[in-house]
Amino acid sequence: MYLLRQQPRLQLRHNTWIHQKGFQIILCIQDVSKSVSYFTTAMAGAPIPGSGMDATISAAISMVPPSVSRMGGSGSQEASSTGERPYSTGRGAAGGRPTAPSPSSQPGGKGGGPAAPTDSSGKGGGPAAPTYSSGKGGGPAAPTDSGASAGRQAAGGITAADSGELTAGKPPTGNSPPQPPSGQPSGATKKAPTAPPPQKKSRMKNFDIYRWKPGDQPHTQTFSVDIAQCGPMVLDALIKIKNEMDPTLTFRRSCREGICGSCAMNINGTNSLACITSIDASDSAACRIYPLPHLYVVRDLVPDMSHFYAQYTSIQPWLQRKNKKHEPGTAQFLQSIEDRSTLDGLYECILCACCQASCPSYWWNSDKYLGPAVLMQAYRWVIDSRDEATENRLKFLADPWRVYRCHTILNCTNTCPKHLNPARAIIQLKQLLSGMKKKGDSQLKADALHHGKV
């Protein structure tokens, strides 16, 4: 009820102050968590004379937010406006505020706070209603009783414990805010400083990284990285080294999910993607990182992929149709489920060149031999049921060097980070070139979609 004392328009009404006895009861209700019905019951139980008092109390209740009015006890705990049942807030054995004490257990009102004194002149000094022997003070006389029974009759069950335990039976004076209930500090509650989270035990691991830039001699540089403060992948360690130790370290990376193929490099002797290769848990053995072997190096871990992309372009990796003038943009080129399944294990290639750089035949004949990655993509377009340039594609591949330099060493299959099988695709491509197999006709005839639009 601190609001009643801070709003000037509620203090002064019709050029007169609120009656002192009623104002004492208002001050006793310091716990704003009590519902508005509790306040109404307390005011209805005490004789508070004075013109305009009803309007003042109604205005005060209307300014209490609904959220505050719902913060009190449940409906079963609130005393009705007509009954005399003491109010219980729900604390006590269950962890809340104790209920109103009974007169038998606290004679004289000494159990939970100061008792209301008996006053014949109408000047009450406590939260309970005083006794009027002569009926003075503008209201009917109240029967003489102990402090607990008088407080219960005046405020509908308000006791010293519920009213904030005012000292010496006197309400606060002036415009000072009401005192907090007992057991709660007057200032803001200070939380104890939380202990910092325990730090992980450091685990240092060495990374031997290939370094080279134009004008220098190639060499390896060792970096010690605390893998306890690093991500689980090799790419995480490289990023940590670049950010915290040596910003001149150069490498490619993009997606960090094994999709783009940018971070392909040789890690501990195996071509792989740094973003999906876990750091070896052994602290003693160093992690050796080199660029893809047998490729020209631009700088550090960045290989030159120009020749690889030029070979990939030579196989014309796009769909080719005979009627190029009228078919494009007229209808979709459909495939049956069976025809579509022939592309599984081929289209997933991300062109990371890990298999390409692991093939010994490609090491020695990279100028003529297309390599496993390019040949697998060539077979992907040859076997596509929608493509109509199969004969031209096979003629281009019918060369002693472009395909037949493959000796089925299977390094490409063992090192592929996407778990594909380039060696199998090259064998099937050789069978088509030798005439052992032929490309089947499309099971879904979609030419009718383009008929009449030519």
Side-chain angles (χ1 to χ4, degrees), residues 356-417:
Q356 197 90 347
S358 68
C359 178
S361 295
Y362 189 77
W363 295 348
W364 314 127
N365 305 286
S366 59
D367 56 336
K368 299 177 182 179
Y369 177 54
L370 295 180
V374 175
L375 290 178
M376 185 172 69
Q377 290 303 301
Y379 177 72
R380 175 253 181 274
W381 290 105
V382 167
I383 203 65
D384 196 323
S385 62
R386 300 166 295 178
D387 189 85
E388 296 179 349
T390 303
E391 295 181 3
N392 295 334
R393 295 181 186 278
L394 292 177
K395 286 180 181 180
F396 173 78
L397 297 173
D399 183 270
W401 292 93
R402 291 174 180 168
V403 177
Y404 291 101
R405 290 301 94 187
C406 174
H407 300 296
T408 321
I409 302 175
L410 299 181
N411 277 6
C412 56
T413 301
N414 294 332
T415 193
C416 179

Side-chain angles (χ1 to χ4, degrees), residues 243-271:
N243 292 342
E244 301 178 5
M245 302 179 187
D246 189 353
T248 64
L249 180 63
T250 307
F251 55 89
R252 290 192 182 108
R253 87 287 187 279
S254 181
C255 71
R256 303 188 66 169
E257 295 181 358
I259 298 300
C260 68
S262 300
C263 60
M265 56 189 69
N266 186 278
I267 304 172
N268 291 329
T270 302
N271 295 345

Side-chain angles (χ1 to χ4, degrees), residues 173-421:
T173 60
N175 289 329
S176 61
Q179 298 296 324
S182 61
Q184 298 182 5
S186 58
T189 304
K190 295 183 179 180
K191 296 183 179 179
T194 58
Q199 295 183 354
K200 297 181 180 179
K201 183 180 179 181
S202 61
R203 297 174 53 195
M204 305 305 296
K205 185 176 181 62
N206 293 335
F207 289 82
D208 296 338
I209 302 177
Y210 177 89
R211 303 299 304 272
W212 179 82
K213 65 180 180 179
D216 291 351
Q217 290 295 326
H219 63 280
T220 58
Q221 185 176 358
T222 302
F223 298 93
S224 295
V225 179
D226 185 4
I227 59 178
Q229 303 295 331
C230 177
M233 302 300 174
V234 174
L235 183 61
D236 297 323
L238 292 175
I239 294 176
K240 186 177 181 64
I241 293 172
K242 185 176 180 66
N243 292 342
E244 301 178 5
M245 302 179 187
D246 189 353
T248 64
L249 180 63
T250 307
F251 55 89
R252 290 192 182 108
R253 87 287 187 279
S254 181
C255 71
R256 303 188 66 169
E257 295 181 358
I259 298 300
C260 68
S262 300
C263 60
M265 56 189 69
N266 186 278
I267 304 172
N268 291 329
T270 302
N271 295 345
S272 183
L273 302 178
C275 62
I276 60 175
T277 302
S278 301
I279 300 175
D280 187 7
S282 175
D283 300 339
S284 58
C287 180
R288 297 174 289 107
I289 305 176
Y290 289 80
L292 291 178
H294 294 272
L295 294 178
Y296 290 103
V297 176
V298 178
R299 178 168 176 168
D300 292 344
L301 302 177
V302 179
D304 186 3
M305 306 284 285
S306 301
H307 183 61
F308 170 70
Y309 291 140
Q311 291 178 320
Y312 177 67
T313 306
S314 66
I315 65 171
Q316 299 180 358
W318 55 82
L319 190 65
Q320 297 183 23
R321 302 282 294 184
K322 294 179 179 180
N323 194 350
K324 299 179 182 179
K325 186 176 181 180
H326 300 284
E327 281 188 356
T330 57
Q332 297 183 25
F333 299 108
L334 304 179
Q335 274 186 309
S336 64
I337 298 178
E338 292 77 8
D339 292 339
R340 170 60 183 78
S341 63
T342 59
L343 303 180
D344 292 339
L346 303 174
Y347 74 93
E348 297 94 340
C349 176
I350 60 176
L351 299 176
C352 63
C354 286
C355 63
Q356 197 90 347
S358 68
C359 178
S361 295
Y362 189 77
W363 295 348
W364 314 127
N365 305 286
S366 59
D367 56 336
K368 299 177 182 179
Y369 177 54
L370 295 180
V374 175
L375 290 178
M376 185 172 69
Q377 290 303 301
Y379 177 72
R380 175 253 181 274
W381 290 105
V382 167
I383 203 65
D384 196 323
S385 62
R386 300 166 295 178
D387 189 85
E388 296 179 349
T390 303
E391 295 181 3
N392 295 334
R393 295 181 186 278
L394 292 177
K395 286 180 181 180
F396 173 78
L397 297 173
D399 183 270
W401 292 93
R402 291 174 180 168
V403 177
Y404 291 101
R405 290 301 94 187
C406 174
H407 300 296
T408 321
I409 302 175
L410 299 181
N411 277 6
C412 56
T413 301
N414 294 332
T415 193
C416 179
K418 303 297 290 184
H419 306 289
L420 304 180
N421 194 345

